[in-house]
Amino acid sequence: MQVACPPGAGPARRWAAAGLVALLVLAAGVVALARTPHTAGTAAQGPPHTTVEVSQSHCGRGWDAPVPGVQVFDLHNTSDRAAEVYLEAPGSHAVYGEVEGIGPGTTRSLTVRLGRGAYAFRCVPEDADAVTGPTVRVGRGRGGPAAAPVTEHDLIPPAIDYQKWVAGGLADTVRLTGRLRDAVDRGDLAAARTAWLPAHLRYERLGAAYDAFGDADARINGTDAGLPGGVHDPAFTGFHRIEYGLWHGESAHALRTPAAALVKALTALRDDWSQARMDPAQLGLRAHEILENTVQFELTGRTDYGSGSNLATARANLDGTRAVLSRLRPLLAARYPGLRDLDREMDRAQSLLDGFRHGDRWTAPARLSRGLREKTDAVLGDLVERLASVATLCDPRRTA
């Protein structure tokens, strides 16, 4: 798996700025509206608009006439610092919608469906205490769902458990890559081609940890993208360098140094992993990014250096996504109404990808019929969208 975006810059993080709103509105069966700034009374059609102040002294001021149904709150930041705003249930702090990064003097829109119940805006300025505005009650109607906020403290146990799982995966990868190196050393390139895929797939299943691997990931699983010499550049190393040589007629002698370097890099990573620290706040985001990058790099064949195994990699990435979701499941069970549908779509994707395996060989993406290619793109693309909601719900929120 190739990391398409730097940490914090991926689409899932951008979802986190307004994504819970989209998730909750869509879950309620309401079409999400454009999130562009408005002021009260400017909308000729559509739901009513209400301008609400965002500040430490007057958080929530302006919402004086609550009505049920879909509506737009134009959140205007009158303070001198950026802020994020939650619309929540005052007692439980369950969140109905949120907007992050409202700059001083700017307005951002929040679209929600309101029903019978109590609501309050919580304003969370940068480098300052959170402030909760007045409670507003709506007397009738059915509102959209709310999700209890996830804190960084909530994410620490699943992150620790996942990190322990990664340690076992790294040990397996070192062992399997040792078999690859040994086959190259004895000049048995047929055995080396057989050994390459299991080792590579074992590493691919560790996708949510790649950010914590740092520069080691580029040495282990990088491509020739951006290298002046392309596949012949000395900086092109790791699994894909060996893949290129094995499927492009290079000699065992030429591959001994890359194979030894790969085992060395993986062994160092395995030995240093106990001192590494994954950021718990990134766990939900990584669950989304694994398959996001799968769609971008594997389904397009961009990382194929001769083995034609991209769909096998996609299948390993699916396993890696499941490994993250299994740790997040206790948090998602009470927060994500689409969890059962997500599980069903994960099973559907697994069945589809398994159909491309034929013994030890896999169909290359370029050999798929147009119909199968479109179906694969659709199934994995749907999962990416669903996992964006997981990233949003698991984005930690300040509660004080």
Side-chain angles (χ1 to χ4, degrees):
M1 185 187 82
Q2 301 298 308
V3 178
C5 307
R13 176 59 64 183
R14 293 193 293 272
W15 258 71
L20 182 61
V21 178
L23 166 68
L24 297 181
V25 171
L26 288 172
V30 180
V31 177
L33 302 176
R35 299 181 52 74
T36 54
H38 294 281
T39 56
T42 61
Q45 295 179 340
H49 285 243
T50 302
T51 299
V52 173
E53 183 174 341
V54 176
S55 69
Q56 285 186 280
S57 57
H58 296 104
C59 179
R61 185 169 69 175
W63 188 17
D64 301 320
V67 294
V70 179
Q71 52 201 276
V72 179
F73 292 103
D74 300 310
L75 306 174
H76 182 62
N77 187 351
T78 61
S79 72
D80 60 357
R81 63 184 70 193
E84 56 191 68
V85 177
Y86 306 145
L87 179 62
E88 62 180 32
S92 65
H93 299 294
V95 178
Y96 290 92
E98 69 171 298
V99 178
E100 292 184 357
I102 308 176
T106 63
T107 302
R108 298 275 300 281
S109 297
L110 170 64
T111 304
V112 292
R113 172 193 267 179
L114 302 181
R116 183 183 183 89
Y119 302 85
F121 281 103
R122 175 180 283 256
C123 302
V124 188
E126 287 185 354
D127 303 319
D129 293 337
V131 177
T132 301
T135 297
V136 174
R137 299 187 181 278
V138 176
R140 59 187 175 84
R142 180 179 179 183
V150 171
T151 67
E152 287 205 38
H153 181 75
D154 294 330
L155 291 165
I156 290 174
I160 291 174
D161 185 57
Y162 182 77
Q163 189 160 345
K164 292 178 180 177
W165 178 81
V166 169
L170 286 172
D172 288 344
T173 306
V174 170
R175 175 177 54 82
L176 292 169
T177 308
R179 294 179 183 175
L180 168 62
R181 176 202 56 199
D182 293 346
V184 170
D185 284 347
R186 65 177 182 267
D188 190 345
L189 294 184
R193 282 189 287 271
T194 299
W196 181 86
L197 186 58
H200 184 236
L201 296 184
R202 190 65 187 92
Y203 183 79
E204 286 283 347
R205 293 186 179 96
L206 309 178
Y210 285 179
D211 178 52
F213 290 168
D215 293 339
D217 180 57
R219 294 191 294 272
I220 292 168
N221 206 35
T223 70
D224 69 324
L227 299 180
V231 294
H232 303 295
D233 196 290
F236 181 37
T237 62
F239 279 113
H240 291 302
R241 166 65 184 90
I242 297 170
E243 178 189 10
Y244 178 83
L246 287 173
W247 276 272
H248 286 85
E250 290 191 13
S251 67
H253 176 76
L255 291 172
R256 281 174 185 158
T257 297
L262 176 58
V263 173
K264 181 179 179 180
L266 281 165
T267 301
L269 180 59
R270 179 201 63 189
D271 294 345
D272 293 342
W273 183 244
S274 62
Q275 304 302 316
R277 290 293 178 267
M278 292 185 62
D279 182 359
Q282 298 293 310
L283 200 57
L285 177 62
R286 301 299 171 225
H288 170 266
E289 285 187 338
I290 294 173
L291 288 187
E292 178 188 43
N293 292 327
T294 299
V295 170
Q296 182 176 358
F297 293 102
E298 306 306 334
L299 298 192
T300 60
R302 288 171 59 181
T303 55
D304 181 13
Y305 287 88
S307 68
S309 61
N310 288 108
L311 294 176
T313 300
R315 178 65 174 81
N317 293 162
L318 192 68
D319 287 342
T321 302
R322 286 189 188 275
V324 182
L325 289 175
S326 68
R327 274 79 187 174
L328 295 175
R329 185 169 294 274
L331 298 176
L332 293 171
R335 292 174 171 86
Y336 184 25
L339 185 58
R340 181 175 297 181
D341 291 337
L342 174 61
D343 289 338
R344 185 185 66 248
E345 292 305 310
M346 291 285 290
D347 291 341
R348 181 186 177 201
Q350 178 175 322
S351 177
L352 176 65
L353 292 172
D354 283 344
F356 300 133
R357 181 174 183 173
H358 313 284
D360 294 332
R361 300 179 64 84
W362 289 74
T363 303
R367 295 186 175 274
L368 293 177
S369 67
R370 180 176 178 178
L372 277 177
R373 177 183 293 275
E374 291 176 349
K375 181 178 181 180
T376 304
D377 289 345
V379 170
L380 271 294
D382 176 73
L383 275 180
V384 170
E385 292 185 10
R386 293 175 187 274
L387 289 164
S389 299
V390 170
T392 299
L393 288 165
C394 292
D395 184 38
R397 291 166 174 81
R398 283 177 54 188
T399 56

